[in-house]
Amino acid sequence: FNKNHQKMFNGDTLVGQELYHNMIILPKSVMDSTFYVFVAGVTLPDTGLWYNVVDMKLQGGLGQVVQKNVLLEHHPVQDMLAAVRHGNGKDWWLLTRRWTYAPGYVKNNEFWVYLVDSSGIYPQPVQFEGVSHFDNAGDMTINPAGDKLVLTGLGSHIGVFNFNRCTGAISNEVVVEMFDPPGSYFKAYFSGSFSPDGSKLYALS
């Protein structure tokens, strides 16, 4: 929708679901009026990571979707998208996780990281970090300094990682809590957040 609370031109029939943390919007560059709208599709037939492009200069400043439903990754993506500004102060890192749910839920520790800059979207090598666990319906949140990432999810999982804003590298998980019996979801942490000074971590179950 635009600022007048009306449907944006060409803004209908975007794939994806309004669940948890499935959507995130990033600017194409600090000097542009174009934005990426990323969507995690977690159910058939829309599984995958998708993006749309909005140009806010069009339609008299009300904006227009100029690219729609572009598939970036075809594998199921967990409904948790996160982003943080690159160490250079102008580009962005987009973070996702693979969701492997058939046949049966499968543990994984895969982080998929993308560099988003003024020229495009660039997938980085898949990172296998931290404890493999059953996961979905959680969240990834990065602290205000941009150097810590908390992963929350089903199975009572709370893990804190280091994050490198210059390279996009994730490392050194500290497991705060995990209770992950096979085939059972003991507790779900749906979201996590850091205090403004980064000294405290909050989790919502």
Side-chain angles (χ1 to χ4, degrees):
F1 284 76
N2 61 32
K3 65 182 180 181
N4 294 332
H5 309 290
Q6 300 170 332
K7 184 182 71 177
M8 185 175 289
F9 190 89
N10 197 32
D12 57 350
T13 65
L14 273 62
V15 301
Q17 301 79 34
E18 298 177 6
L19 299 170
Y20 305 119
H21 310 97
N22 285 44
M23 182 180 291
I24 200 164
I25 301 172
L26 295 178
K28 188 173 182 180
S29 78
V30 295
M31 301 297 292
D32 203 333
S33 62
T34 305
F35 294 82
Y36 291 108
V37 180
F38 293 96
V39 181
V42 298
T43 59
L44 293 172
D46 298 334
T47 55
L49 179 63
W50 306 76
Y51 72 88
N52 309 272
V53 180
V54 175
D55 190 339
M56 291 304 300
K57 294 191 305 292
L58 302 180
Q59 303 298 318
L62 294 178
Q64 176 176 329
V65 178
V66 294
Q67 285 184 273
K68 184 161 59 176
N69 299 336
V70 181
L71 184 62
L72 189 60
E73 298 289 353
H74 64 82
H75 61 255
V77 174
Q78 293 181 15
D79 35 12
M80 51 173 78
L81 299 179
V84 62
R85 192 181 292 276
H86 192 289
N88 63 19
K90 60 179 182 178
D91 302 325
W92 290 83
W93 297 108
L94 173 70
L95 288 73
T96 73
R97 282 177 60 89
R98 178 193 286 271
W99 186 27
T100 307
Y101 64 86
Y105 288 88
V106 179
K107 294 182 179 183
N108 79 72
N109 64 343
E110 298 182 29
F111 288 90
W112 293 61
V113 179
Y114 305 82
L115 174 64
V116 181
D117 66 17
S118 59
S119 61
I121 306 163
Y122 300 95
Q124 307 298 297
V126 179
Q127 300 182 48
F128 300 88
E129 293 291 337
V131 177
S132 293
H133 62 283
F134 300 105
D135 201 3
N136 199 37
D139 194 12
M140 287 188 292
T141 305
I142 299 173
N143 68 347
D147 60 1
K148 296 288 183 182
L149 179 153
V150 59
L151 171 67
T152 57
L154 301 177
S156 298
H157 191 91
I158 304 175
V160 180
F161 298 79
N162 292 337
F163 184 77
N164 189 315
R165 290 178 58 205
C166 294
T167 66
I170 300 165
S171 62
N172 300 326
E173 181 184 29
V174 174
V175 177
V176 178
E177 182 177 344
M178 184 174 69
F179 181 76
D180 196 18
S184 173
Y185 290 143
F186 177 68
K187 185 190 296 181
Y189 286 106
F190 289 99
S191 187
S193 183
F194 292 92
S195 61
D197 64 359
S199 65
K200 299 176 180 65
L201 172 64
Y202 304 92
L204 173 67
S205 66

